[in-house]
Amino acid sequence: MTRLNTLARRAMVAVGASLLAAASATAAYPERPITMIVTYPPGGTVDAVARLIAPKLAEKLGQPVVVENRGGAGGMIGGAAAAKAQPDGYTLMLDASNHAQNPALHSKMQFDTLKDFAPVSLLLRVPNVLVVTPSSPLRTVADLIKAGKAKDGPPVYFASAGPGSAQHLGGELFNLLAGTHLVHVAYKGGGPAMIDVMSGQVPVMFASMGSSWTHVKNGKLRAIAVGGDTRSLAAPDLPTIAESGVPGYQSYEWNAVFAPAGTPAPIIEQVSKALAEVLKDPGVKTVLDGIGAEPIGSTPAELEQFRRAEIAKWQKVAQEANLKLD
């Protein structure tokens, strides 16, 4: 046997051994704790969802799931950390709608959203809800459109958690589809923004239902319409923005789980199926229903289709509204 043939055989044996080892590791997964990087700081809705989901996922997989908050830069700090992690299934990332919005707003990022992350499961969607100060004369979407188009009246301001936030983009989408000229007021976080809407400093906000609905129920905010494609089960009498005169309007905040690109497909399928089971848990569903969230538990392929559609949507909004954050 020639030296070349000998080297070729050794290479084939090495590849085969590597594949067998990978298959063995996949079959045994998980053998140790799993880290779930959350792209937002403790205390917010995304963190609350992670801490609701993690212990239930741990029960399904038979290993602890440790929540690790890596907040900042609209999810990009946590995203950069997750993108660099080993693609072995022991690092997952729970991200939010910024996953699809950041590529539309930032030309310079430390990772490629589509290339560096493998989809696992779309967990849930929470519609944005159009809220106003309780004393505001704005009572319908038609009222807001009329005020937002008026050339001789004062400008109508809307608050958000900051430039490029879901609330900001929800307002810009409304401007584009309704032909209004609502003026954006950026805050350093959703909490301060909502406080000023409640007090009347700024009259309007396209807020997350998850964070605003308690204030609606106790009368500190008045809800006009929801941003989903259908009415919310949490507020069936509240119309959608789309049915109220802005066809095509959809604005959600959503949470999904991703893995570093290259994570073995069998592991991704295993985690995805486990998450789908978690979201059917009555206790989990009750908590999510309480914040107006729609539990989903998608397949990886469904999440891939969803995030590509979301990226394309927000890229169009950013381009037409001339929004760039770098």
Side-chain angles (χ1 to χ4, degrees), residues 12 78 113 122 126 128 161 163 165 170 201 207-208 210 276 287 309 316:
M12 291 176 65
T113 300
L122 177 61
V126 184
N128 281 348
S165 64
Q201 297 298 312
S208 167
V287 173
K316 182 178 180 181

Side-chain angles (χ1 to χ4, degrees), residues 148-180:
K149 286 184 174 182
K151 296 180 180 179
D152 54 353
V156 179
Y157 296 94
F158 74 95
S160 87
S165 64
Q167 301 88 26
H168 177 200
L169 292 177
E172 296 294 353
L173 179 63
F174 186 91
N175 274 338
L176 289 172
L177 295 180
T180 51

